[in-house]
Amino acid sequence: MFIKSIEVHNFRSFRKLNIELGNLSVLIGPNASGKSNFVEILRFLKNISAHGLANAVSMQGGMEFLKNINAKESDEVFFKITYYQGGPTLTHKPTSMTISEHRVIHEFSIKPNNDYVIGTEKIVKEYLCKNGEEVKTGRSSLTKIGDEYVPKFDFPEKFQFIVDDPDLGNLKWPLIEDKILKVLSLEGRLALVGINLEDLTVYDLNSNIHKQSMSITGKKDLEEDGSNLAIVLKNILEDEKKRRKFINLVQYLLPFVQELKIERSIDKSLLLSLREIYNEDIFLPSHLLSDGTIAITALLISLYFEKNKLCVFEEPFRNIHPALISKVSNMLEEASTEKQIIVTTHNPQMVKHTKLENLLLISRNEQGESIISRPTEREDIKIFLENEIGLDDLFVQGLLEN
Amino acid sequence: MNYSRLFLWVEGADDKRFMENVVIPRFEEEYDSVKIIEYAKEKIEWRENFLRSIVCMEGDYIFFHDNDTVCFITDKENLLNTHAQLDTEEVLIVIKEIESWYLAGVPQEFANEVGVSLPPRTDVVTKEQFNNLIPQTFDSRIDFMQEVLKHFDVVEAQRRNTSFEYFVNKHLASKGIL
């Protein structure tokens, strides 16, 4: 799962948004510019796929709070998500011709009433059809017309026989997965189940929570607020290979850390403690550790040990010293080769240490609508950079806003 | 038509607040973008690079500076001697400090209401004198300044402060803005 672009109309502070995302996207902007609303787009899509449309709308506070306040009464809330899902490649053995999933474009709108009903919906899957050096594009689509979802297939003639080949069995129809059709046939429900957003995790690592001793029962994966940090860390430290990697990563950021351990207390709770190089005899319990140490521990786990493929971090640098930000930035970049990462921040150090192509600027226009742009698209920013004015300087001066 | 930009160079937070409330709204019709740059804590090399950038993008700027010496001409010369990129026409010396401009625009009615003793002219009012004028009903200087800006009277301010009058005539009235 990899989101390539997001187009949204009339959702919260966004009147019209159309933005491309890379492996790492750092969204920077002042307070109340719409950073959290951007995260809410992803959370909303995840909630639709997990709980259905009506629940997802309700979790936003209803259409009243979900819909942009400048939108007209008749305007629909619209989403268009382009993503890679990594589907199978079909190989036609006699000819060696292949068909592989390239990208999926899913668009839908929500009708402007209180019934939370889908207005329009369309899923297009694009396939790369290869015959030796020759590469062509094939498409399958599912479009909502009235209450029906109508499939359509458009493949280059040369590849059509592969698609129609009965010998390919269940692979002959890779185009629309069974589960989508099944769900649709049940109640004409939103087909967003086609997008697997269960892989999305929106981290808000509040260090105060992790400082307490924690219950021994909890999820194996790190919770979005890091509240089960001790459980997750316990599993890492018990695995020799993971332990070595984790200690190396911690020491890269915090060279004074010698060892971490998780202790089980008599009330069956878990407590994180840490030994520093300054005193080899003492393990400091988590409530004596700095907020930054705890935040870095949680951040490293989420970046390097969690299997999710799409991570969002909201203000992850709150408790981190500015001098460490360049290293954290380096780690975000490294981790983004394995998973797609989106970071929201107003930390100027992060702006300074992020590659220009990974930065997204968010601000509000005169109507109060959030706008996202790239610094590489702005002529004035290019001139400032040529004259050795850093992006962080421009950000601190409030000059990156549109 | 090119995208037009104006950069207002100011020394600190009090200047910035004044510009945001009094100056920027009056330039919004004239320019596509009006931005403020706080320069007091920036190195001269940084300021020079920034000024060069503005010239490159064919933007306009006004460089506001406090009247630190006995004569504002000396202030201007000092600035030009240290900032090679600075255009003398775009430097505006605020006499005496931005607090003088705040006080200049206080309407008599508001002064009476909150108990501020207004001097007839504010050209010599310093930061310290301004602070001493703040009525006891305001225990926050920022609160008082915000309240002053809500009631700010540009015509009164021109009458009470020479440098503000110069600013209005040169940058607003001459362009038909005011």
Side-chain angles (χ1 to χ4, degrees), chain A residues 366 379-381 383-384 387-390 393-394 396-402, chain B residues 3 5 7 16 35-39 42 45-46 49-50 52-54 56-57:
Chain A
E366 287 170 353
E379 280 306 312
D380 55 339
I381 291 176
I383 291 173
F384 282 126
N387 285 292
E388 296 177 13
I389 300 291
D393 286 327
L394 297 174
V396 170
Q397 293 277 356
L399 299 173
L400 289 185
E401 295 163 38
N402 285 296
Chain B
Y3 190 85
R5 296 180 176 86
F7 294 90
K16 186 174 184 177
K35 299 285 187 187
I36 297 174
I37 307 160
E38 278 184 75
Y39 67 87
E42 303 293 352
E45 186 188 355
W46 186 93
N49 288 342
F50 211 111
R52 200 176 294 117
S53 304
I54 295 172
C56 284
M57 64 182 77

Side-chain angles (χ1 to χ4, degrees), chain B residues 7-110:
Chain B
F7 294 90
L8 303 172
W9 292 73
V10 301
E11 295 195 50
D14 291 336
D15 308 76
K16 186 174 184 177
R17 189 185 311 109
F18 184 88
M19 297 299 160
E20 283 171 343
N21 285 276
V22 176
V23 178
I24 287 184
R26 290 174 169 82
F27 278 121
E28 275 174 345
E29 292 289 308
E30 187 79 0
Y31 290 93
D32 296 313
S33 159
V34 185
K35 299 285 187 187
I36 297 174
I37 307 160
E38 278 184 75
Y39 67 87
K41 290 178 182 165
E42 303 293 352
K43 290 178 181 168
I44 288 178
E45 186 188 355
W46 186 93
R47 300 179 198 174
E48 291 278 85
N49 288 342
F50 211 111
L51 283 164
R52 200 176 294 117
S53 304
I54 295 172
V55 173
C56 284
M57 64 182 77
E58 297 178 352
D60 291 341
Y61 68 89
I62 306 170
F63 198 99
F64 294 93
H65 191 74
D66 287 348
N67 177 204
D68 296 330
T69 66
V70 178
C71 173
F72 75 91
I73 295 171
T74 312
D75 290 311
K76 207 167 181 176
E77 283 172 356
N78 289 345
L79 272 177
L80 295 170
N81 288 338
T82 50
H83 296 71
Q85 297 295 322
L86 209 49
D87 182 342
T88 181
E89 284 300 310
E90 310 307 334
V91 177
L92 203 144
I93 304 297
V94 177
I95 302 173
K96 179 102 181 129
E97 293 172 309
I98 198 68
E99 286 78 0
S100 322
W101 283 20
Y102 276 85
L103 199 60
V106 174
Q108 191 60 55
E109 194 180 342
F110 173 71

Side-chain angles (χ1 to χ4, degrees), chain A residues 114-210:
Chain A
N114 290 327
D115 296 333
Y116 313 151
V117 179
I118 289 297
T120 58
E121 181 163 28
K122 187 176 185 182
I123 304 174
V124 178
K125 286 198 169 190
E126 286 185 358
Y127 293 84
L128 293 181
C129 304
K130 289 186 185 172
N131 179 21
E133 295 295 305
E134 181 188 20
V135 181
K136 292 197 168 179
T137 304
R139 286 183 188 83
S140 70
S141 65
L142 196 60
T143 308
K144 184 173 184 281
I145 298 173
D147 290 333
E148 299 289 317
Y149 282 83
V150 179
K152 187 182 173 190
F153 307 97
D154 180 15
F155 275 74
E157 199 173 333
K158 199 182 281 182
F159 294 83
Q160 192 63 49
F161 77 98
I162 301 178
V163 178
D164 292 339
D165 188 346
D167 293 336
L168 285 170
N170 61 355
L171 289 180
K172 78 165 185 171
W173 204 245
L175 320 163
I176 306 288
E177 285 93 347
D178 280 351
K179 68 172 182 178
I180 295 178
L181 291 171
K182 276 177 192 162
V183 170
L184 287 173
S185 62
L186 281 177
E187 49 188 294
R189 209 180 109 185
L190 176 72
L192 197 64
V193 287
I195 299 181
N196 179 12
L197 275 166
E198 287 165 16
D199 259 354
L200 164 68
T201 314
V202 182
Y203 289 108
D204 186 7
L205 303 170
N206 173 3
S207 60
N208 291 330
I209 298 168
H210 326 139

